[in-house]
Amino acid sequence: MAQKEANGSNGEHATRPPPTPSPLRFSKFFQANMRILVTGGAGFIGSHLVDKLMENEKNEVIVADNLFTGSKDNLKKWIGHPRFEFIRHDVTQPLLVEVDQIYHLACPASPIFYKHNPVKTIKTNVIGTLNMLGLAKRVGARILLTSTSEVYGDPLEHPQTEAYWGNVNPIGVRSCYDEGKRVAETLMFDYHRQHGIEIRIARIFNTYGPRMNIDDGRVVSNFIAQAVRGEPLTVQKPGTQTRSFCYVADMVDGLMKLMNGNNTGPINLGNPGEFTMLELAENVKELINPEVTVTMTENTPDDPRQRKPDISKAKEVLGWEPKVVLRDGLVLMEDDFRERLAVPKKTKA
Ligand SMILES: NC(=O)c1ccc[n+]([C@@H]2O[C@H](COP(=O)([O-])OP(=O)(O)OC[C@H]3O[C@@H](n4cnc5c(N)ncnc54)[C@H](O)[C@@H]3O)[C@@H](O)[C@H]2O)c1
Ligand SMILES: O=C(O)[C@H]1O[C@H](OP(=O)(O)OP(=O)(O)OC[C@H]2O[C@@H](n3ccc(=O)[nH]c3=O)[C@H](O)[C@@H]2O)[C@H](O)[C@@H](O)[C@@H]1O
C-alpha cells in the first residue's frame, strides 16, 4: 500500500535559512567558476558525471576518491587539466575544501564489493555522508546524495514510488548498503531541517554503460563480458527476478537536473523498462554473441524479486526521462568492453 508522501520533499520543513557561502561569492569583482566536488568521481557513474561537468568551462571539478572500486584511468583525460583536481581521499575522514556544490557518490555499489567489507560500507555511508554534510554546512554548498532503489528493499509495492517506505531486512548481508543509504537519506533531511542545508536526493535504479569494471559483478557487465569472451551467461536463480536498467548518459543528465533544480527529492531516477534476468540474458546473447549458452547459478540472500521505478515525479519536477532503450545501450557498451578485453568483433566472411 502506498504510504504517505515523503516529508519535506520541497524543503518546506527547513527550520533555518541555508548557511551563507563564502563572502567572496558576493564580491562585485570576484568571477570564480562554480567549484564542484564529486566524491566517488573515479567510479563508473562519477567519471561520466565529471566528463559532463567539465564540458562547461565555468566549472572547476574536484574529485575525492579512495580508489576502492574506482580508477584514475576513468579520469585520465582530465588529469593535469587546469580546471580539474584529483584528491585520493577516503570520505570517512573529514575533507576541507572550498566548494559550491557537492555530488556525493562515494560508496561501493556492486553487491560483491559492498559485501566485501560491510562495516566499511556502513562507515562510508554514515560517517562519509556526515563528513560531506559537515563540509556543506561550513561552506554553504548544495549537496546531492546518490541514494538507491535498494532503500525499497524487496519491494511489496510495484512499481516503486518515492512515497513507498520499503521492505528492507535490517540484519541481512545487503543491509550495510541498503540501511546505510537509508541512514544517509535521514542525515540529509536532518541537516536540511536542522541547519538549512540545501539537499538533493536521487534514488538511482540499476545503471549500466561503458567503463563499468569488467569484474564488477553486476549483471549487465557480467553478461557483456561473458558474451564477449564466449563464456556462458550466468543467470542467478530463479531468473524471473526483474530489474529496470538505465543508460549512464541518461542518469548523469538526471543527476545534473536534480542538482540544479528546486526540489530536494527524494526522486527516483531510472528507466522504467522492466526485464527478467532471463530476458536480459536473451537480449545480450542475441545482440552480442548468439553462440553463447545461458547457465543457471545459485543466487545470493535477500535478492529483490522485482524492481521498477515510477518516474512520474522526475518527469513532473525535473522534466526528465531516459532516452536510451536497453537494446541500444547494450550495443553502446559492447564496444568499450571489446576494446578493454581486446576481443574484436568477428567480421562476417
Ligand atoms: N550504478 C548503479 O546502478 C547504482 C544504483 C544505485 C545507486 N548507485 C550509487 O551511485 C554511486 C556511484 O555508483 P557506481 O555505480 O558509479 O559505483 P562505483 O563503485 O563505480 O563508484 C563508487 C566510487 O566511490 C569510491 N569510494 C568507495 N568508497 C569510498 C570512500 N570511503 N571514500 C572515497 N571514495 C570511495 C570508489 O573508489 C568508486 O570510485 C554510489 O553511491 C552508488 O551507491 C549506483
Ligand atoms: O539499482 C540499485 O538500486 C542497486 O542495484 C544494484 O544491485 P542489484 O540489483 O542487486 O544488481 P546486480 O548485482 O546487477 O543484480 C541484478 C540481478 O541480476 C542477477 N544476476 C547478477 C549477476 C549475474 O551474473 N547474474 C545474475 O543473474 C542478480 O541475482 C539480481 O537478481 C547495484 O549493484 C547497486 O549498487 C544499486 O544500488
Side-chain angles (χ1 to χ4, degrees):
M1 195 185 73
Q3 284 150 336
K4 67 181 175 175
E5 183 57 41
N7 283 338
S9 60
N10 283 306
E12 66 274 21
H13 292 279
T15 52
R16 298 238 176 131
T20 43
S22 153
L24 269 180
R25 291 275 129 195
F26 307 109
S27 153
K28 201 169 147 195
F29 303 104
F30 187 64
Q31 297 185 344
N33 294 336
M34 171 77 90
R35 290 171 298 191
I36 304 172
L37 171 66
V38 182
T39 75
F44 160 54
I45 299 179
S47 63
H48 285 279
L49 173 65
V50 168
D51 287 352
K52 201 73 198 161
L53 292 170
M54 286 295 291
E55 278 177 18
N56 183 341
E57 289 188 0
K58 292 216 166 298
N59 289 339
E60 277 174 29
V61 177
I62 302 173
V63 164
D65 197 301
N66 70 354
L67 302 181
F68 173 47
T69 52
S71 156
K72 275 204 247 179
D73 249 14
N74 291 335
L75 298 168
K76 61 176 179 258
K77 70 175 165 193
W78 302 121
I79 307 276
H81 192 288
R83 288 187 286 108
F84 178 81
E85 226 175 310
F86 174 79
I87 308 172
R88 189 187 287 243
H89 177 82
D90 194 306
V91 292
T92 58
Q93 301 296 322
L95 178 65
L96 298 177
V97 286
E98 304 299 313
V99 289
D100 306 296
Q101 290 187 340
I102 303 168
Y103 285 90
H104 178 40
L105 281 72
C107 176
S110 170
I112 57 169
F113 288 101
Y114 69 62
K115 289 192 267 190
H116 168 74
N117 184 345
V119 173
K120 182 66 197 285
T121 302
I122 288 262
K123 283 187 179 172
T124 297
N125 277 317
V126 179
I127 302 172
T129 304
L130 263 173
N131 282 333
M132 291 310 111
L133 281 162
L135 172 64
K137 183 175 159 215
R138 182 177 63 81
V139 298
R142 181 178 293 182
I143 176 168
L144 180 151
L145 170 75
T146 50
S147 183
T148 166
S149 64
E150 298 229 1
V151 299
Y152 302 122
D154 189 7
L156 304 176
E157 206 177 88
H158 195 74
Q160 294 79 52
T161 67
E162 294 83 353
Y164 179 50
W165 287 353
N167 176 39
V168 180
N169 176 359
I171 55 166
V173 291
R174 295 175 86 100
S175 313
C176 57
Y177 185 76
D178 306 6
E179 296 288 22
K181 289 282 188 183
R182 287 170 68 97
V183 175
E185 287 197 15
T186 307
L187 285 168
M188 294 280 288
F189 266 91
D190 284 338
Y191 266 74
H192 173 61
R193 284 184 288 253
Q194 197 174 331
H195 299 297
I197 305 294
E198 289 192 17
I199 59 159
R200 303 287 181 264
I201 298 177
R203 288 187 181 152
I204 299 180
F205 285 64
N206 299 60
T207 299
Y208 69 99
R211 264 185 223 159
M212 287 183 90
N213 280 326
I214 305 275
D215 298 314
D216 185 89
R218 284 180 276 190
V219 68
V220 180
S221 45
N222 273 7
F223 286 180
I224 295 203
Q226 288 160 346
V228 167
R229 288 171 166 146
E231 295 167 356
L233 308 186
T234 52
V235 173
Q236 293 175 353
K237 291 174 190 169
T240 49
Q241 68 272 34
T242 66
R243 293 292 188 276
S244 305
F245 298 102
C246 186
Y247 190 67
V248 65
D250 284 332
M251 182 55 57
V252 165
D253 181 42
L255 291 173
M256 288 173 63
K257 285 202 161 100
L258 175 59
M259 174 63 103
N260 297 309
N262 293 321
N263 199 286
T264 59
I267 293 191
N268 289 339
L269 293 180
N271 190 322
E274 185 184 8
F275 297 85
T276 68
M277 293 312 102
L278 278 165
E279 285 168 344
L280 175 67
E282 285 309 322
N283 274 288
V284 170
K285 182 176 152 95
E286 188 192 325
L287 291 167
I288 297 174
N289 187 352
E291 285 163 24
V292 292
T293 56
V294 172
T295 175
M296 300 303 291
T297 60
E298 286 313 310
N299 206 333
T300 52
D302 293 339
D303 184 43
R305 282 163 291 183
Q306 53 179 4
R307 211 149 66 197
K308 170 185 162 115
D310 179 320
I311 58 162
S312 315
K313 189 170 172 185
K315 283 186 188 166
E316 189 192 320
V317 304
L318 305 178
W320 175 88
E321 65 182 308
K323 297 189 180 76
V324 182
V325 295
L326 180 66
R327 287 175 68 88
D328 293 344
L330 292 175
V331 174
L332 290 169
M333 197 168 159
E334 178 190 351
D335 291 342
D336 169 61
F337 270 54
R338 282 197 183 280
E339 199 182 313
R340 283 190 285 153
L341 286 167
V343 181
K345 221 173 193 157
K346 278 187 197 152
T347 45
K348 284 187 188 126

